């Protein structure tokens, strides 16, 4: 399976230009699964509810989902992309990722662990950690700050995810290294698509750290992009290698867990 990342600096509020940029990048790549950054079509730092209302879209049905769906079908690829979602049923906004396969819309993930001022605008995700089938591989999704909670990757791996896609807008310096451990401790492939550039809005000045990467099973870093450049990469991986969880003849990652001693983890 050819998995890829595209990192760029979205222009805040300019969905048209961000979509065009992503479309141009994806149309040049041959991949089975591409991951785009968190909130790739809107930018990150919202300043008002009105702004969020203007830029968030329904999933599916909104313009960003439709545009990505057209690319996924045309290129025969899966796409996982972060975007701002409006749910009219609940009248809530979510920091979401849309999941598309080569034949169209598969589903969405709504970010569960919200970071910093995201809590002002978005509701915490209410759909859980789900696994989607894309081109024969089991694909799980988490978004950015979910990395800080190892339960996210663990739950996805226990649900069968072989590849975990992570759209990101990282501002802290540790995630890229931490994802190597998430891969090692779950024997999964971790694909992080982070953005680059800065945003100065809402009395904040945030620099995003790029270094989008693909970590293969066993915590093997296969590729990491630079911290500033707009770039893409596609790497061949074998998701079947994520099925066997044995560490050696005596140890197996999942069978050796002792959940009877982990009860504090599931207390609220
Ligand atoms: C983040 O979750 N965007 C840091």
């Amino acid at each position: 399976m050819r998995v890829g990342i595209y990192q760029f600096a979205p222009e805040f509020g300019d969905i048209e230009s961000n979509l065009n940029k992503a479309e141009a990048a994806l149309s040049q790549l041959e991949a089975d699964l591409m991951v785009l950054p968190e909130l790739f079509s809107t930018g990150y730092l919202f300043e008002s509810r009105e702004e969020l209302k203007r830029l968030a879209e329904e999933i599916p049905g909104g313009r960003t989902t439709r545009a990505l769906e057209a690319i996924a079908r045309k290129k025969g690829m899966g796409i996982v992309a972060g975007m701002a979602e409006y749910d009219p049923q609940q009248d809530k906004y979510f920091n979401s990722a849309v999941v598309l396969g080569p034949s169209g819309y598969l589903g969405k993930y709504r970010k569960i662990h919200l970071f910093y001022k995201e809590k002002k605008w978005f509701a915490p995700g209410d759909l859980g950690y789900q696994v989607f089938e894309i081109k024969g591989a089991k694909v799980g999704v988490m978004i950015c700050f979910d990395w800080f909670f190892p339960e996210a990757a663990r739950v996805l791996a226990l649900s069968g995810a072989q590849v975990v896609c992570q759209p990101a807008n990282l501002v802290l310096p540790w995630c890229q290294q931490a994802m190597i451990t998430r891969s090692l401790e779950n024997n999964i492939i971790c694909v992080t698509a982070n953005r680059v550039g800065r945003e100065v809005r809402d009395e904040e000045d945030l620099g995003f750290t790029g270094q989008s990467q693909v970590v293969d099973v066993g915590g093997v870093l296969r590729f990491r992009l630079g911290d500033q450049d707009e770039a893409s990469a596609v790497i061949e991986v074998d998701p079947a290698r994520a099925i066997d969880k044995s560490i050696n003849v005596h140890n197996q990652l999942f069978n050796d867990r002792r959940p009877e001693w982990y009860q504090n983890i599931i207390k609220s």
Side-chain angles (χ1 to χ4, degrees), residues 51-63:
E51 198 170 64
L52 183 58
K53 203 167 173 178
R54 182 168 58 80
L55 296 169
E57 301 174 29
E58 288 183 45
I59 305 177
R63 154 195 197 187

Side-chain angles (χ1 to χ4, degrees), residues 10-31:
E11 196 66 46
F12 189 89
D14 193 345
I15 293 180
E16 176 89 13
S17 130
N18 297 326
L19 265 179
N20 285 343
K21 217 159 165 175
E23 205 163 359
L26 293 178
S27 67
Q28 284 176 22
L29 296 167
E30 297 308 321

Side-chain angles (χ1 to χ4, degrees), residues 4-233:
I5 45 194
Y6 172 52
Q7 73 173 30
F8 72 115
E11 196 66 46
F12 189 89
D14 193 345
I15 293 180
E16 176 89 13
S17 130
N18 297 326
L19 265 179
N20 285 343
K21 217 159 165 175
E23 205 163 359
L26 293 178
S27 67
Q28 284 176 22
L29 296 167
E30 297 308 321
D32 298 301
L33 175 61
M34 285 299 303
V35 186
L36 300 183
E38 178 181 11
L39 297 170
F40 90 95
S41 54
T42 56
Y44 185 69
L45 279 172
F46 289 89
E47 284 181 331
S48 69
R49 175 81 30 181
E50 289 64 43
E51 198 170 64
L52 183 58
K53 203 167 173 178
R54 182 168 58 80
L55 296 169
E57 301 174 29
E58 288 183 45
I59 305 177
R63 154 195 197 187
T64 297
T65 307
R66 286 202 309 275
L68 292 178
E69 199 164 5
I71 305 170
R73 284 182 197 275
K74 187 161 151 219
K75 298 290 294 182
M77 62 171 53
I79 300 174
V80 175
M83 57 177 286
E85 181 192 2
Y86 176 61
D87 176 358
Q89 263 94 46
Q90 303 188 70
D91 193 24
K92 282 182 181 170
Y93 296 88
F94 295 96
N95 180 343
S96 296
V98 61
V99 182
L100 303 144
S103 35
Y105 177 74
L106 292 176
K108 60 190 164 189
Y109 165 67
R110 291 171 168 166
K111 186 176 186 178
I112 287 177
H113 301 99
L114 296 172
F115 179 71
Y116 194 50
K117 288 188 179 172
E118 289 170 34
K119 291 189 174 190
K120 274 170 66 176
W121 312 119
F122 298 111
D126 56 2
L127 298 175
Y129 289 103
Q130 307 159 72
V131 176
F132 305 88
E133 177 105 13
I134 298 179
K135 293 209 155 184
K138 302 259 193 286
V139 176
V141 182
M142 57 190 237
I143 297 179
C144 204
F145 191 52
D146 278 329
W147 76 267
F148 224 111
F149 304 86
E151 294 87 351
R154 180 64 112 200
V155 165
L156 284 170
L158 287 171
S159 306
Q162 297 159 320
V163 181
V164 167
C165 300
Q166 183 194 27
N169 276 190
L170 291 158
V171 293
L172 302 176
W174 307 295
C175 173
Q176 289 87 344
Q177 284 306 106
M179 290 311 289
I180 293 175
T181 306
R182 296 291 99 79
S183 159
L184 180 66
E185 66 203 2
N186 294 292
N187 200 49
I188 50 172
I189 297 157
C190 295
V191 185
T192 300
N194 189 23
R195 63 162 288 178
V196 289
R198 296 201 90 71
E199 275 187 19
V200 183
R201 312 189 88 245
D202 193 23
E203 295 167 348
E204 299 288 340
D205 179 353
L206 293 184
F208 301 93
T209 62
Q211 301 170 83
S212 299
Q213 64 183 23
V214 176
V215 184
D216 213 334
V217 291
V220 175
L221 179 63
R222 292 284 304 282
F223 198 89
R224 184 178 280 171
L225 295 174
D227 60 4
Q228 318 240 326
D229 46 323
E230 298 196 327
S232 58

